């Protein structure tokens, strides 16, 4: 994931934390804030030292980035969001991380397109 897709500065992190909304499941917490002047989403990833040493933390960040790269076409643009990993993520593999990440992103309405046909879930429900 290129640097233009990342929230890097402390000030940007704090703005998302203080002015954004949050959703969570057992594995992840996601804070989000709308940014109407952006052409694509930006993400920040936070993994606490409580989860393990640098090797473990970097592995978790790589897994999260990989999942987000795969889901990029399905993610809402014009948004900044922060992903915070919780303790259960330490023992999870890629497929489990992807499943849990998709769940929390759907809760926050960040994941907007259906997995199968690329249509928005709201549009497919209106057709029925």
């Amino acid at each position: 994931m290129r640097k233009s897709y990342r929230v890097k500065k402390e000030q940007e992190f704090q703005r998302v934390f203080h002015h954004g909304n949050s959703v969570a499941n057992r594995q992840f917490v996601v804070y989000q804030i709308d940014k109407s002047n952006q052409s694509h989403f930006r993400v920040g990833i936070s993994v606490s030292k409580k989860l393990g040493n640098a090797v473990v933390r970097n592995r978790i960040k790589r897994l999260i980035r990989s999942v987000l790269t795969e889901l990029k076409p399905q993610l809402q643009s014009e948004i900044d969001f922060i992903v915070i990993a919780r303790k259960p993520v330490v023992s999870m593999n890629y497929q489990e991380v992807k499943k849990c990440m998709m769940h929390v992103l759907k809760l926050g309405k960040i994941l907007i397109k259906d997995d199968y046909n690329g249509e928005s879930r709201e549009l497919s429900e209106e057709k029925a």
Side-chain angles (χ1 to χ4, degrees), residues 29-46:
V29 179
V30 175
Y31 287 85
Q32 65 185 26
I33 190 168
D34 290 333
K35 299 275 299 243
S36 59
N37 56 353
Q38 286 183 172
S39 60
H40 56 78
F41 70 89
R42 294 187 322 153
V43 63
I45 300 173
S46 176

Side-chain angles (χ1 to χ4, degrees), residues 91-112:
S91 60
M92 294 168 65
N93 64 26
Y94 178 80
Q95 293 301 323
E96 294 168 330
V97 169
K98 182 178 177 186
K99 181 179 176 185
C100 295
M101 181 67 70
M102 288 177 67
H103 175 257
V104 77
L105 292 175
K106 285 178 186 175
L107 287 177
K109 297 181 176 140
I110 298 171
L111 189 67
I112 57 170

Side-chain angles (χ1 to χ4, degrees), residues 4-45:
S4 65
Y5 283 88
R6 295 188 192 174
V7 175
K8 295 293 277 183
K9 296 180 181 174
E10 178 66 21
Q11 182 181 2
E12 295 170 342
F13 267 85
Q14 292 304 320
R15 185 169 22 91
V16 175
F17 285 134
H18 294 305
H19 301 293
N21 302 324
S22 66
V23 291
N25 59 13
R26 293 182 185 266
Q27 298 80 12
F28 298 104
V29 179
V30 175
Y31 287 85
Q32 65 185 26
I33 190 168
D34 290 333
K35 299 275 299 243
S36 59
N37 56 353
Q38 286 183 172
S39 60
H40 56 78
F41 70 89
R42 294 187 322 153
V43 63
I45 300 173

